[in-house]
Amino acid sequence: MMSETHSVESSGEGGGEINVSDWSPFDTLTEDCISNIVSFTSPRDACVFAAVSKSFESAVKSDIIWEKFLPLQYPSMIPPSLASSSKMEIYFYLCNDPVLIEDGKKCVRLENTSGKRCIMLSAESLYIKWINDTHCWDWITSPGSRFERVAKVNDVCWFEIRGTINTHELSPRTHYSSYIVFKEGFTDLPIEARVGVVGKQASKRFFCFDVSTDGQFFKRGRRTWYFEKPKEREDGWREIELGRFFNKGGLMNSDEFEMSAIATELRHWKSGFILQGIEIRPATIQRPRTVG
């Protein structure tokens, strides 16, 4: 009867358990129809629907849904062994296994809750001051790196790293954060980070590679810097945010975003820093809390 309603109730103190009624208005829809509806949501929403509604459980596995969440070029991003897999399996493969592109100089994966593209630029794809001078830098291998080679500082007084990415490589209408991914670092040394469209004014901030520095002010002479602490990554590396930008995207928009980390003003010698690259991934937007 159409007068019946689909109920989702929480049981127990504080909730936590969801009871789904056996009947839902969606039971009158075909599986293909439900799949088409869900394809206009997000991967996260699709998984939630499957968890709370029996009507959605089988429909959510449909290729109709997951092909909408995949990038157009996904066939070239997967190994031949996955060619006959379901689109859902391919989607989560691309979330969990970053794919090397451009001769191993970059890697791409999908952000699992949204399907938006995340890209890491390898150290080899970046501009690094004095990289060809073996007294200053070396190319080495490192466990846990996504790339064949990473860059290690031997001895430099001028530290400068720059990377660029075209808006077409990223998901449109998306706020992105960029992170420098590294091991070791320089203690008590302010690094200037800039992020912005090439040729236009960039946002600027300061950070420090020293993991013992967290929310502290560092003074040298008349200058004062406020530092954030680098974060430990699950892959054993560390990262710290360089800055954020909004990728408008679209066929008519082809900007180049540049990200840089520079330390040139305090020219004491630096060593030991190991660079894997710069990762660009969707930003976590802090929404204002409402009271009421």
Side-chain angles (χ1 to χ4, degrees), residues 5-10 16-27 34 38 41 43-61:
T5 59
H6 175 67
S7 63
V8 179
E9 300 175 349
S10 176
E17 181 180 342
I18 297 176
N19 296 324
V20 182
S21 64
D22 291 333
W23 186 88
S24 162
F26 288 104
D27 289 340
I34 293 175
V38 177
T41 62
R44 180 177 182 175
D45 291 336
C47 293
V48 170
F49 294 151
V52 301
S53 171
K54 293 181 179 179
S55 301
F56 282 90
E57 189 173 2
S58 60
V60 162
K61 298 178 182 179

Side-chain angles (χ1 to χ4, degrees), residues 17-153:
E17 181 180 342
I18 297 176
N19 296 324
V20 182
S21 64
D22 291 333
W23 186 88
S24 162
F26 288 104
D27 289 340
T28 60
L29 301 178
T30 65
E31 188 171 298
D32 283 349
C33 183
I34 293 175
S35 297
N36 275 308
I37 293 171
V38 177
S39 70
F40 288 98
T41 62
S42 70
R44 180 177 182 175
D45 291 336
C47 293
V48 170
F49 294 151
V52 301
S53 171
K54 293 181 179 179
S55 301
F56 282 90
E57 189 173 2
S58 60
V60 162
K61 298 178 182 179
S62 168
D63 282 353
I64 295 175
I65 294 176
W66 295 96
E67 188 151 26
K68 289 281 189 71
F69 299 150
L70 288 167
L72 293 176
Q73 65 274 32
Y74 81 86
S76 64
M77 299 168 62
I78 60 174
S81 59
L82 287 179
S84 59
S85 299
S86 71
K87 299 300 187 290
M88 185 171 71
E89 290 173 323
I90 292 173
Y91 176 86
F92 285 107
Y93 169 83
L94 293 176
C95 291
N96 299 321
D97 293 274
V99 178
L100 291 174
I101 58 174
E102 297 188 17
D103 297 323
K105 299 297 193 301
K106 299 178 183 179
C107 72
V108 60
R109 65 178 178 87
L110 302 182
E111 202 276 326
N112 60 353
T113 61
S114 66
K116 294 183 181 294
R117 276 164 279 180
C118 310
I119 292 182
M120 182 180 279
L121 310 177
S122 70
E124 288 189 277
S125 70
L126 305 175
Y127 167 81
I128 302 175
K129 187 75 172 179
W130 308 120
I131 188 61
N132 294 320
D133 187 336
T134 55
H135 292 94
C136 298
W137 290 82
D138 260 338
W139 292 108
I140 64 171
T141 59
S142 181
S145 172
R146 297 179 184 176
F147 305 103
E148 184 177 349
R149 301 197 301 175
V150 298
K152 179 179 182 294
V153 171

Side-chain angles (χ1 to χ4, degrees), residues 225-243:
W225 293 271
Y226 177 79
F227 292 150
E228 292 184 18
K229 183 178 181 179
K231 293 181 173 60
E232 299 287 340
R233 292 164 54 98
E234 292 182 357
D235 58 10
W237 290 73
R238 296 169 182 161
E239 68 178 22
I240 194 161
E241 186 175 349
L242 298 176

Side-chain angles (χ1 to χ4, degrees), residues 159 161 176-180 182 189-196 201-209 213-216 223-231 239-245 258-265 278-279 281 283-284:
F159 179 82
I161 296 169
Y176 275 96
S177 292
S178 58
Y179 300 83
I180 190 165
F182 68 99
L189 179 66
I191 310 293
E192 180 184 293
R194 291 177 180 258
V195 174
Q201 186 173 3
S203 63
K204 181 171 70 173
R205 63 184 302 190
F206 288 90
F207 67 90
C208 181
F209 289 124
T213 303
D214 186 13
Q216 299 178 9
R223 300 202 62 179
T224 301
W225 293 271
Y226 177 79
F227 292 150
E228 292 184 18
K229 183 178 181 179
K231 293 181 173 60
E239 68 178 22
I240 194 161
E241 186 175 349
L242 298 176
R244 299 186 176 195
F245 61 89
E258 182 177 69
M259 301 139 286
S260 64
I262 304 173
T264 62
E265 293 187 18
I278 294 177
E279 184 171 53
R281 62 179 189 258
T284 301

Side-chain angles (χ1 to χ4, degrees), residues 269-286:
W269 292 90
K270 300 166 273 292
S271 62
F273 175 81
I274 300 174
L275 172 69
Q276 182 177 178
I278 294 177
E279 184 171 53
I280 303 104
R281 62 179 189 258
T284 301
I285 305 299
Q286 298 293 332

